[in-house]
Amino acid sequence: MASSRVKGSPSQTAAAYFAAWHKGNVSAMARLVYQPPADFAVRHRALSDELHVESIQLTPGPLKSTGEQAAEVPFAGVRQLTEFGAWQFDSTLRMGVRDRAWKVLWTPETLHPLLKGGGTLELGEIDASAAELVTSEGDRIPNDSYADAYLNPLKPEFAQASHGWALVSKVPGQPDRQLLTSRPEANVERTTLSRPVQAAAARALDGVEDSTIIVIRPSTGEIIGLADRLKDNFSAVRDVFPPGSVFKVITAAALLRSGYDPATQVGCPGAYTIPFHSSFTNAGEVDRGVVTLTDAFAHSCNTTFVEQATTRLTVDDLRATADEWGFGRPIATGIGGTCGTVPETDDPDMFGADVIGQGEVVATPLCMAALAAAVESGTWRSPRLLAKDEVLRIDGQPHEDVPMDEGIVTALRDMMAAVVDYGTASESELPEGVAGKTGTAEVPDETSHAWFIGYRDDLAFCVFVRHGGSGRAVAVPIAARFLKGL
């Protein structure tokens, strides 16, 4: 019979082929193939070299007859790749009788099914993130945290030169497909951000354009929340804005320093004119008559602070107090920063505007958060977003801690508590234990900026909405959402 003249058997041919393949003996493999292509050996070696194959393991399945002179063996393969480890694949070894001998009918997909139809397998380098910034607890920064503008530029500071690998399948006429990727373990750097605080701050700003919340731990100066939705590339830590009535914390501190106390009787008329100069009014020109300094602060009496400051203080007095509470100095946070300025002036009208946070006085939201933190703790601490040694490396030496006058701090705490108890932040949804100060900073020909600074326990904050309107109507509800979300 004709079949008796056929050399070998499909099982013998398959066994010999798998044995030669396992040993990497491409010449022996080629001898078992019917009309192997001229580049048969080159293809095998090129694939191993391209994919950095260290070894291959082949596990044949049962032989199947597919005709009188045809058979096939399905097999499982595992290539050990330097960059990825074990990589499994499944293929089929097809055989037929050719020239009176059982031969392997080789095609590129015998090597790997993805090589069918002109497909290629390639190993390439990919960019790898060499730094990951996490919260103080070691958790990932919450999604949609509104902190990316600060965190992303920081990553190169902790990056290590590195790359990853991708195994890519390329088939003509189809998009490239990544089969495997390998990235080096990221250099993990902890920030001072608290995951629950950051999440609550971000959610409080949802739906509020051009806004920010900065949260500081007063006992340490750590920035534990930094959600920034300011538009037009404005920064809550580097850009300054007129602070409006939140600056009255500084003016009140200067008046207390001059000898006033919270119970000092002062006038709160609806309007007050600096002799021979400009007039200033309260919101709605409300006339409260004679009140205590605490009540004037609680109700944010512009006329009180203009009259008392312009008759009791000098520009140097105000600037010295502001500088003590953080103004006039850069802030080393790890992401840069500044506080604010109280400019020199010999114009009584400008001085009158400055003492109520208008005029030429400007401050960052970061500065105002640090101010609230200093009232709570009794010590001004330079805010920071990173560990102290990293802040020193990136931003330089931070300003030393500044202990504040205990009597002034105690008075300011009572006055800020009065703002929430019965003043401009009363009858809001703020939780118990909050003390603060509202601010509405007028901007020529535009909507006012809305401010609210405050603290509760070991947590101080600043809410700022650029061109948002009233501090009481806009900023206070955001603070309430934030605090309730903790």
Side-chain angles (χ1 to χ4, degrees), residues 6-265:
V6 174
K7 295 179 183 179
S9 68
S11 60
Q12 290 172 336
T13 299
Y17 190 86
F18 285 126
W21 193 356
H22 180 75
K23 293 177 182 177
N25 189 343
V26 182
S27 297
M29 294 166 64
R31 289 194 293 270
L32 295 167
V33 173
Y34 176 70
Q35 294 182 354
D39 61 351
F40 179 82
V42 171
R43 285 189 184 224
H44 281 73
R45 295 192 177 106
L47 184 67
S48 293
D49 291 345
E50 172 67 28
L51 303 189
H52 299 176
V53 178
E54 297 176 350
S55 64
I56 187 168
Q57 180 181 349
L58 305 165
T59 306
L63 176 72
K64 296 179 182 178
S65 174
T66 56
E68 185 177 346
Q69 294 187 336
E72 64 183 28
V73 178
F75 66 94
V78 179
R79 287 183 171 93
Q80 193 71 26
L81 309 183
T82 301
E83 281 74 28
F84 303 104
W87 182 44
Q88 299 180 350
F89 69 101
D90 294 308
S91 191
T92 302
L93 186 71
R94 291 181 172 83
M95 293 166 291
V97 176
R98 300 289 189 274
D99 297 335
R100 293 181 297 171
W102 279 97
K103 293 284 189 177
V104 171
L105 307 180
W106 189 88
T107 58
E109 56 261 40
T110 308
L111 265 173
H112 195 284
L114 291 176
L115 298 178
K116 184 177 180 178
T120 59
L121 293 167
E122 299 179 13
L123 187 67
E125 292 185 4
I126 56 175
D127 291 335
S129 174
E132 180 182 1
L133 298 175
V134 298
T135 67
S136 59
E137 302 92 347
D139 298 327
R140 296 187 66 179
I141 304 296
N143 292 332
D144 301 322
S145 67
Y146 306 132
D148 289 347
Y150 300 100
L151 300 179
N152 288 340
L154 259 184
K155 291 180 179 179
E157 291 288 347
F158 303 98
Q160 301 166 343
S162 62
H163 62 265
W165 295 94
L167 178 59
V168 181
S169 168
K170 296 188 175 184
V171 178
Q174 298 182 21
D176 293 354
R177 183 160 61 98
Q178 284 192 354
L179 306 175
L180 300 171
T181 57
S182 173
R183 289 180 170 84
E185 186 174 339
N187 177 33
V188 176
E189 183 69 24
R190 294 194 184 211
T191 67
T192 59
L193 296 175
S194 161
R195 192 183 194 288
V197 173
Q198 182 65 33
R203 298 295 69 80
L205 294 187
D206 284 343
V208 185
E209 295 291 334
D210 225 354
S211 58
T212 187
I213 298 179
I214 298 183
V215 190
I216 293 175
R217 180 170 285 123
S219 60
T220 63
E222 294 169 311
I223 299 172
I224 56 177
L226 175 52
D228 189 346
R229 300 194 67 194
L230 294 176
K231 293 163 43 176
D232 303 325
N233 292 319
F234 278 106
S235 163
V237 305
R238 293 183 289 272
D239 289 314
V240 293
F241 308 91
S245 289
V246 293
F247 187 76
K248 288 174 183 168
V249 176
I250 299 292
T251 306
L255 290 172
L256 293 165
R257 191 178 187 181
S258 76
Y260 281 25
D261 64 50
T264 298
Q265 298 289 300

Side-chain angles (χ1 to χ4, degrees), residues 370-389:
L371 173 62
V375 174
E376 194 284 331
S377 71
T379 299
W380 186 92
R381 293 181 171 88
S382 185
R384 60 184 174 87
L385 187 68
L386 298 171
K388 290 181 179 179
D389 58 339

Side-chain angles (χ1 to χ4, degrees), residues 274-293:
I274 300 174
F276 309 110
H277 287 279
S278 296
S279 291
F280 294 83
T281 61
N282 294 327
E285 296 192 29
V286 175
D287 186 338
R288 298 187 181 276
V290 177
V291 296
T292 65
L293 184 62

